[in-house]
């Protein structure tokens, strides 16, 4: 059990559609980060949320947006899906900003865009 | 921009063989270094990490890694691999404030029984 829960585990969407992925952090964690892991590549940082605000962002277009709720859970939204958005999307949680205490990854959501 | 290079994309070993996976990073400032493992169908798990101090760090399951600052390297080693070590291994770097990780492209290790 990773402690970080992501849903759904698998998803198939059509090009041009929008998708929402969800993440519940490990108990006691308040910071959520999202990563995209394309096939054959390492995870790439999308953005990080803390205190319901986006604190850091990687090199991803504005089609990628997110939200963090008061209970620390988070959503990743992708608009106007492209075939190249097909990937495993990983959520990671940690406690506080600026430290790596207990940084924990979820098992991911496998998104396939057709 | 920071980058992490893993030179071996796919490694095949027999049980009891020794393992060394290479990792080099490019970043001029203070970094924190990690190795993660991803077993088939499972989430990323931390093997070991280096923040400061002794450059030789020991992790779980008999793995160790050595930080060589002059070479910008953080190679992973294990003296004797087991079939259960079959997995994908990722090297990762975070900057001093830990806000995000930069991952290498991963090395798939296949250990033959």
């Amino acid at each position: 059990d990773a402690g970080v829960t992501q849903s759904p585990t698998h998803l198939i969407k059509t090009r041009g559609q929008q998708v929402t992925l969800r993440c519940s952090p490990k108990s006691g964690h308040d910071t959520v980060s999202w990563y995209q892991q394309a096939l054959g590549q390492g995870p790439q940082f999308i953005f990080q949320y803390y205190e319901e605000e986006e604190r850091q962002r990687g090199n991803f277009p504005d089609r990628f947006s997110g939200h963090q709720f008061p209970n620390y859970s988070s959503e990743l939204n992708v608009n106007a899906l492209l075939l190249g958005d097909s990937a495993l999307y990983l959520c990671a949680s940690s406690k506080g900003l600026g430290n790596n205490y207990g940084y924990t990854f979820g098992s991911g959501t496998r998104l396939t865009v057709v | 921009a920071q980058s992490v290079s893993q030179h071996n994309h796919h490694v095949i070993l027999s049980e009891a063989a020794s393992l060394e996976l290479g990792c080099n990073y490019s970043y001029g400032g203070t970094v924190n270094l990690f190795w993660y493992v991803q077993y088939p169908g499972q989430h990323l798990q931390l093997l070991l990490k280096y923040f400061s101090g002794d450059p030789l760090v020991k992790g779980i399951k008999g793995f160790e890694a050595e930080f060589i600052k002059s070479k910008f390297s953080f190679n992973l080693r294990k003296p004797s691999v087991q079939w259960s070590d079959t997995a994908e291994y990722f090297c990762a770097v975070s900057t001093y404030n830990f806000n995000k990780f930069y991952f290498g492209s991963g090395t798939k290790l296949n250990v033959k029984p």
Side-chain angles (χ1 to χ4, degrees), chain A residues 1-2 33 35 37 40-45 48 55-58 88 90 97-108, chain B residues 6 9 32 34 36 38 41-46 49 51 88 90 94-106 108:
Chain A
D1 180 14
S33 304
Y35 290 79
Q37 186 177 7
Q41 297 183 22
Q44 290 196 352
F45 177 78
Q48 182 182 68
R55 299 292 179 148
Q56 288 254 349
R57 190 178 181 91
L88 180 68
L90 298 172
L97 270 181
N99 71 76
N100 185 45
Y101 181 74
Y103 205 93
T104 304
F105 283 89
S107 299
Chain B
Q6 291 183 243
H9 297 293
N32 303 294
F34 306 81
Y36 279 87
Q38 191 171 33
Q42 296 189 26
H43 60 276
L44 282 165
Q45 299 176 39
L46 180 67
K49 58 188 176 185
F51 293 168
E88 189 159 16
F90 292 94
S94 75
T95 53
Y96 75 97
N97 60 1
F98 290 111
N99 275 339
K100 54 189 171 185
F101 286 88
Y102 299 90
F103 283 88
S105 56
K108 289 186 179 177

Side-chain angles (χ1 to χ4, degrees), chain A residues 17-113:
Chain A
Q17 284 188 316
Q18 179 264 343
V19 69
T20 297
L21 311 181
R22 295 175 176 82
C23 172
S24 292
K26 184 177 179 178
S27 178
H29 287 184
D30 54 13
T31 304
V32 173
S33 304
W34 287 92
Y35 290 79
Q36 180 197 65
Q37 186 177 7
L39 198 62
Q41 297 183 22
Q44 290 196 352
F45 177 78
I46 304 175
F47 43 51
Q48 182 182 68
Y49 278 83
Y50 174 71
E51 292 185 336
E52 302 179 49
E53 290 185 12
E54 183 183 293
R55 299 292 179 148
Q56 288 254 349
R57 190 178 181 91
N59 189 25
F60 280 81
D62 292 345
R63 297 187 298 108
F64 289 77
S65 63
H67 188 78
Q68 186 180 34
F69 299 93
N71 67 352
Y72 310 122
S73 66
S74 176
E75 289 182 348
L76 163 64
N77 300 293
V78 187
N79 294 323
L81 284 166
L82 304 173
L83 296 179
D85 295 330
S86 295
L88 180 68
Y89 288 85
L90 298 172
C91 170
S93 71
S94 55
K95 184 171 177 59
L97 270 181
N99 71 76
N100 185 45
Y101 181 74
Y103 205 93
T104 304
F105 283 89
S107 299
T109 294
R110 174 75 61 188
L111 172 65
T112 302
V113 182

Side-chain angles (χ1 to χ4, degrees), chain B residues 37-79:
Chain B
V37 60
Q38 191 171 33
Y39 298 102
Q42 296 189 26
H43 60 276
L44 282 165
Q45 299 176 39
L46 180 67
L47 268 182
L48 48 79
K49 58 188 176 185
Y50 172 79
F51 293 168
S52 64
D54 188 344
L56 184 62
V57 292
K58 296 188 183 300
I60 61 172
K61 305 186 181 185
F63 287 92
E64 64 179 32
E66 184 176 12
F67 170 52
I68 303 180
K69 189 175 182 179
S70 61
K71 295 185 178 181
F72 296 87
S73 71
F74 190 56
N75 293 353
L76 181 70
R77 299 195 292 247
K78 186 171 184 178

